[in-house]
CSV table of all heavy atoms in Angstrom, one decimal:
chain,number,residue,atom,x,y,z
A,34,LEU,N,-53.7,-21.3,59.2
A,34,LEU,CA,-53.3,-21.7,57.7
A,34,LEU,C,-52.5,-23.0,57.6
A,34,LEU,O,-52.8,-23.7,56.6
A,34,LEU,CB,-52.5,-20.5,57.3
A,34,LEU,CG,-53.3,-19.1,57.2
A,34,LEU,CD1,-52.2,-18.1,56.7
A,34,LEU,CD2,-54.4,-19.2,56.2
A,35,ASN,N,-51.7,-23.3,58.6
A,35,ASN,CA,-51.0,-24.6,58.5
A,35,ASN,C,-51.8,-25.8,58.7
A,35,ASN,O,-51.6,-26.8,58.3
A,35,ASN,CB,-49.9,-24.6,59.5
A,35,ASN,CG,-48.7,-23.8,58.9
A,35,ASN,OD1,-48.6,-23.4,57.7
A,35,ASN,ND2,-47.7,-23.4,59.9
A,36,SER,N,-52.9,-25.5,59.5
A,36,SER,CA,-53.8,-26.8,59.7
A,36,SER,C,-54.7,-27.1,58.6
A,36,SER,O,-55.3,-28.0,58.5
A,36,SER,CB,-54.7,-26.4,61.0
A,36,SER,OG,-55.5,-25.3,60.7
A,37,GLN,N,-54.8,-26.1,57.5
A,37,GLN,CA,-55.7,-26.3,56.4
A,37,GLN,C,-55.0,-27.3,55.4
A,37,GLN,O,-53.8,-27.2,55.1
A,37,GLN,CB,-56.1,-25.1,55.7
A,37,GLN,CG,-56.7,-24.1,56.7
A,37,GLN,CD,-58.0,-24.7,57.2
A,37,GLN,OE1,-58.8,-25.1,56.3
A,37,GLN,NE2,-58.3,-24.5,58.5
A,38,ASP,N,-55.7,-28.1,54.8
A,38,ASP,CA,-55.3,-29.0,53.6
A,38,ASP,C,-54.9,-28.3,52.5
A,38,ASP,O,-55.8,-27.5,52.0
A,38,ASP,CB,-56.2,-30.3,53.4
A,38,ASP,CG,-56.7,-31.2,54.5
A,38,ASP,OD1,-55.6,-31.2,55.3
A,38,ASP,OD2,-57.7,-31.7,54.6
A,39,LYS,N,-53.7,-28.6,52.0
A,39,LYS,CA,-53.2,-27.9,50.8
A,39,LYS,C,-53.6,-28.7,49.5
A,39,LYS,O,-53.5,-29.9,49.6
A,39,LYS,CB,-51.6,-27.8,50.8
A,39,LYS,CG,-51.2,-26.8,51.9
A,39,LYS,CD,-49.7,-26.6,51.7
A,39,LYS,CE,-49.1,-25.7,52.9
A,39,LYS,NZ,-47.6,-25.4,52.7
A,40,GLU,N,-53.9,-28.1,48.5
A,40,GLU,CA,-54.4,-28.6,47.3
A,40,GLU,C,-53.1,-29.2,46.7
A,40,GLU,O,-52.0,-28.5,46.4
A,40,GLU,CB,-55.0,-27.6,46.3
A,40,GLU,CG,-55.3,-28.2,45.0
A,40,GLU,CD,-56.0,-27.2,44.1
A,40,GLU,OE1,-56.2,-26.1,44.6
A,40,GLU,OE2,-56.2,-27.4,43.0
A,41,GLU,N,-53.0,-30.5,46.3
A,41,GLU,CA,-51.9,-31.2,45.7
A,41,GLU,C,-52.0,-31.1,44.1
A,41,GLU,O,-53.0,-31.3,43.6
A,41,GLU,CB,-51.9,-32.6,46.1
A,41,GLU,CG,-51.6,-32.8,47.5
A,41,GLU,CD,-51.4,-34.3,47.9
A,41,GLU,OE1,-51.9,-35.1,47.1
A,41,GLU,OE2,-50.9,-34.7,48.9
A,42,VAL,N,-50.9,-30.6,43.5
A,42,VAL,CA,-50.9,-30.5,42.1
A,42,VAL,C,-49.7,-31.3,41.5
A,42,VAL,O,-48.6,-31.3,42.1
A,42,VAL,CB,-50.6,-28.9,41.7
A,42,VAL,CG1,-50.6,-28.8,40.1
A,42,VAL,CG2,-51.7,-28.1,42.3
A,43,TYR,N,-50.1,-32.0,40.5
A,43,TYR,CA,-49.1,-32.9,39.9
A,43,TYR,C,-48.8,-32.6,38.5
A,43,TYR,O,-49.6,-32.0,37.6
A,43,TYR,CB,-49.8,-34.3,39.8
A,43,TYR,CG,-49.9,-35.0,41.3
A,43,TYR,CD1,-51.2,-35.0,41.9
A,43,TYR,CD2,-49.0,-35.9,41.8
A,43,TYR,CE1,-51.3,-35.4,43.2
A,43,TYR,CE2,-49.0,-36.4,43.1
A,43,TYR,CZ,-50.3,-36.2,43.7
A,43,TYR,OH,-50.6,-36.7,45.0
A,44,ASP,N,-47.5,-32.9,38.0
A,44,ASP,CA,-47.2,-32.7,36.7
A,44,ASP,C,-47.7,-33.8,36.0
A,44,ASP,O,-48.1,-34.8,36.3
A,44,ASP,CB,-45.7,-32.9,36.6
A,44,ASP,CG,-45.1,-32.5,35.3
A,44,ASP,OD1,-45.8,-31.9,34.6
A,44,ASP,OD2,-43.9,-32.9,34.9
A,45,LEU,N,-48.1,-33.3,34.6
A,45,LEU,CA,-49.0,-34.3,33.7
A,45,LEU,C,-48.0,-34.9,32.7
A,45,LEU,O,-47.1,-34.0,32.0
A,45,LEU,CB,-50.1,-33.6,33.1
A,45,LEU,CG,-51.2,-33.1,34.1
A,45,LEU,CD1,-52.3,-32.4,33.4
A,45,LEU,CD2,-51.7,-34.2,34.9
A,46,VAL,N,-48.1,-36.2,32.4
A,46,VAL,CA,-47.2,-36.8,31.5
A,46,VAL,C,-48.0,-37.5,30.4
A,46,VAL,O,-49.2,-38.1,30.6
A,46,VAL,CB,-46.3,-38.0,32.2
A,46,VAL,CG1,-45.6,-38.6,31.1
A,46,VAL,CG2,-45.4,-37.2,33.2
A,47,SER,N,-47.7,-37.5,29.1
A,47,SER,CA,-48.5,-38.0,28.0
A,47,SER,C,-47.6,-39.1,27.4
A,47,SER,O,-46.4,-39.1,27.4
A,47,SER,CB,-48.8,-36.9,26.9
A,47,SER,OG,-49.7,-36.0,27.4
A,48,PRO,N,-48.2,-40.1,27.0
A,48,PRO,CA,-47.4,-41.2,26.3
A,48,PRO,C,-46.7,-40.8,25.0
A,48,PRO,O,-47.2,-39.8,24.4
A,48,PRO,CB,-48.5,-42.3,25.9
A,48,PRO,CG,-49.5,-42.0,26.8
A,48,PRO,CD,-49.6,-40.6,27.0
A,49,SER,N,-45.6,-41.3,24.7
A,49,SER,CA,-44.9,-40.8,23.4
A,49,SER,C,-44.6,-42.2,22.6
A,49,SER,O,-44.8,-43.3,23.1
A,49,SER,CB,-43.6,-40.2,23.9
A,49,SER,OG,-42.8,-41.2,24.7
A,50,THR,N,-44.2,-42.0,21.4
A,50,THR,CA,-43.6,-43.0,20.6
A,50,THR,C,-42.2,-43.0,20.4
A,50,THR,O,-41.6,-42.1,20.1
A,50,THR,CB,-44.4,-42.9,19.2
A,50,THR,OG1,-45.9,-42.9,19.4
A,50,THR,CG2,-44.0,-44.0,18.2
A,51,GLY,N,-41.8,-44.3,20.4
A,51,GLY,CA,-40.2,-44.4,20.3
A,51,GLY,C,-39.8,-45.9,20.4
A,51,GLY,O,-40.5,-46.8,20.1
A,52,ASP,N,-38.4,-46.0,20.5
A,52,ASP,CA,-37.8,-47.3,20.4
A,52,ASP,C,-37.4,-47.7,21.9
A,52,ASP,O,-37.0,-46.7,22.7
A,52,ASP,CB,-36.7,-47.3,19.5
A,52,ASP,CG,-37.2,-47.1,18.1
A,52,ASP,OD1,-38.2,-47.3,17.7
A,52,ASP,OD2,-36.2,-46.5,17.3
A,53,ILE,N,-37.3,-48.9,22.3
A,53,ILE,CA,-36.8,-49.3,23.5
A,53,ILE,C,-36.2,-50.7,23.4
A,53,ILE,O,-36.2,-51.4,22.6
A,53,ILE,CB,-38.1,-49.4,24.5
A,53,ILE,CG1,-37.6,-49.5,25.9
A,53,ILE,CG2,-38.9,-50.7,24.1
A,53,ILE,CD1,-38.8,-49.5,27.0
A,54,GLU,N,-35.1,-50.7,24.2
A,54,GLU,CA,-34.4,-52.1,24.2
A,54,GLU,C,-33.8,-52.2,25.6
A,54,GLU,O,-33.5,-51.3,26.4
A,54,GLU,CB,-33.2,-52.1,23.2
A,54,GLU,CG,-32.0,-51.1,23.5
A,54,GLU,CD,-30.8,-51.1,22.6
A,54,GLU,OE1,-31.1,-51.5,21.4
A,54,GLU,OE2,-29.7,-50.9,23.0
A,55,ARG,N,-33.8,-53.5,25.9
A,55,ARG,CA,-33.3,-54.0,27.3
A,55,ARG,C,-32.0,-54.7,26.9
A,55,ARG,O,-31.9,-55.6,26.2
A,55,ARG,CB,-34.2,-54.9,28.0
A,55,ARG,CG,-33.7,-55.4,29.4
A,55,ARG,CD,-34.6,-56.4,29.8
A,55,ARG,NE,-34.1,-56.9,31.1
A,55,ARG,CZ,-34.5,-58.0,31.7
A,55,ARG,NH1,-35.7,-58.6,31.4
A,55,ARG,NH2,-33.9,-58.6,32.8
A,56,SER,N,-30.9,-54.3,27.6
A,56,SER,CA,-29.6,-54.9,27.4
A,56,SER,C,-29.0,-55.1,28.7
A,56,SER,O,-29.3,-54.5,29.8
A,56,SER,CB,-28.7,-53.9,26.5
A,56,SER,OG,-28.5,-52.7,27.1
A,57,THR,N,-27.8,-55.9,28.7
A,57,THR,CA,-26.9,-56.1,29.8
A,57,THR,C,-25.7,-56.2,29.4
A,57,THR,O,-25.3,-56.3,28.2
A,57,THR,CB,-27.4,-57.5,30.5
A,57,THR,OG1,-26.9,-57.7,31.7
A,57,THR,CG2,-27.1,-58.7,29.5
Side-chain angles (χ1 to χ4, degrees):
L34 292 176
N35 282 344
S36 65
Q37 300 299 308
D38 293 332
K39 293 184 178 180
E40 180 182 352
E41 294 182 339
V42 180
Y43 294 90
D44 189 18
L45 299 178
V46 177
S47 297
S49 62
T50 301
D52 303 330
I53 194 171
E54 69 175 31
R55 178 185 173 189
S56 62
T57 187

